[in-house]
Amino acid sequence: MMEIRKSKDRGLADHGWLRSLHSFSFADYYDPEHEGFSDLRVINEDRIQPGTGFGTHGHRDMEIISYVLEGALAHKDSMGNGSTMVPGDVQRMSAGKGVLHSEFNDSKDAVTHFLQIWIEPDVRGIAPSYEQKHFDEASKRGRLRLVASPDGREGSVTIHQSAFLYAGLLDGADRVVHKLEPGRRAYLHVARGAVTANGESLEAGDALKVVDAAAVVLERAKDAEVLLFDLA
C-alpha cells in the first residue's frame, strides 16, 4: 500500500514571525486522517523570521529531532545545553520526564528554515537528554545516510524507539534502494527538490507512506533532499 501526502494538503499556521506547515495534526490543526504514522507524530516545516523564535516552553515523553535546511537555529535548555544549529546538523532531545527549552533565529536578516520532528518513545519517564551531530553533504550525496537510530549505529544520534531516520541528497542519475524488513513500513518526506519514489513523482513538501512493500526505490531526482523514516 502506498499513499501520497501532498504538500498543499498540509495544515498551515502563519503567526507572522513563524510560518509552519504541519504534515500531521498539531496544535490548532486537526485532521483525523493524519494524526501520525506508526510512532512518527510530527513533521513541521518551520520558517522563523530574523530575531524571533520559540520562547522557553516544556515537553515530556517525546523524542524531538531538529533538522536545519537553511539559516541557523540557537538552542538552550534546562539541562544546561546551548548550541547553534546550521544545515547538516541533527539535534535529538529526549524530553523524558520533562525539559524546558527555547529555539531562536538570532540572525538580523536571514530566515531559519528547519524541520521539527517528533517520534513517540518506547519508554516514559526517563531522565531528559540531548545530542547533536553534524552530517556533511558528502556523506549524504547520492545515498541515504543514517542520522538517527535506536542504537546510535554508524555515528547516528540515538533515539528511544525502533525507528531509523535517513537523510539523502539525490540528483540526476542517482538511484537508491532502501530495503524494508518484513512488517516494517516507511515514510518519505521530500524536504527540497523533486524525486520519484516507487514510481510516484514527488515534489518539495510531499510525502509518501509505504506499507507492505519490500523496498523504497528513489530515482529521477532533481536537486532533492529527502528524509526517510524506517518504522515498526
Side-chain angles (χ1 to χ4, degrees), residues 3 16 28 32 43 64 91 95 104-105 162-163 179 182 212:
E3 179 185 338
D28 294 332
I43 301 179
I64 301 171
Q91 178 197 94
F104 271 87
N105 175 6
S162 178
K179 295 181 179 179
D212 294 328

Side-chain angles (χ1 to χ4, degrees), residues 34-209:
H34 299 280
E35 295 189 76
F37 184 71
S38 183
D39 297 304
L40 179 59
R41 292 289 175 264
V42 170
I43 301 179
N44 289 347
E45 182 181 358
D46 292 345
R47 287 178 171 84
I48 304 175
Q49 293 299 309
T52 66
F54 300 94
T56 302
H57 60 284
H59 295 284
R60 294 180 62 89
D61 291 322
M62 195 63 68
E63 301 294 293
I64 301 171
I65 298 170
S66 298
Y67 186 97
V68 176
L69 295 166
E70 295 176 288
L73 184 68
H75 166 95
K76 292 182 180 179
D77 63 47
S78 55
M79 294 177 282
N81 299 300
S83 66
T84 298
M85 295 180 61
V86 297
D89 286 346
V90 175
Q91 178 197 94
R92 181 271 304 168
M93 187 174 70
S94 298
K97 62 184 178 181
V99 66
L100 299 173
H101 79 138
S102 62
E103 296 165 299
F104 271 87
N105 175 6
D106 290 329
S107 172
K108 295 180 179 180
D109 52 18
V111 171
T112 296
H113 182 196
F114 80 108
L115 297 175
Q116 179 183 172
I117 298 159
W118 293 7
I119 295 175
E120 190 170 340
D122 57 11
V123 291
R124 295 182 178 276
I126 61 174
S129 60
Y130 171 92
E131 189 178 12
Q132 181 174 319
K133 292 187 176 182
H134 184 78
F135 303 89
D136 62 22
E137 288 192 4
S139 70
K140 296 177 284 188
R141 184 71 62 189
R143 63 186 291 259
L144 292 173
R145 171 66 162 95
L146 184 65
V147 298
S149 70
D151 54 10
R153 69 182 67 172
E154 299 176 24
S156 59
V157 300
T158 303
I159 56 176
H160 297 87
Q161 185 51 264
S162 178
F164 299 83
L165 172 58
Y166 298 83
L169 298 171
L170 309 176
D171 192 34
D174 291 336
R175 186 176 189 270
V176 176
V177 178
H178 177 78
K179 295 181 179 179
L180 293 170
E181 295 295 327
R184 294 190 68 86
R185 59 189 64 187
Y187 189 93
L188 177 74
H189 178 84
V190 182
R192 287 193 280 217
V195 68
T196 296
N198 288 15
E200 301 290 347
S201 296
L202 304 173
E203 298 181 345
D206 292 347
L208 182 69
K209 300 177 182 179

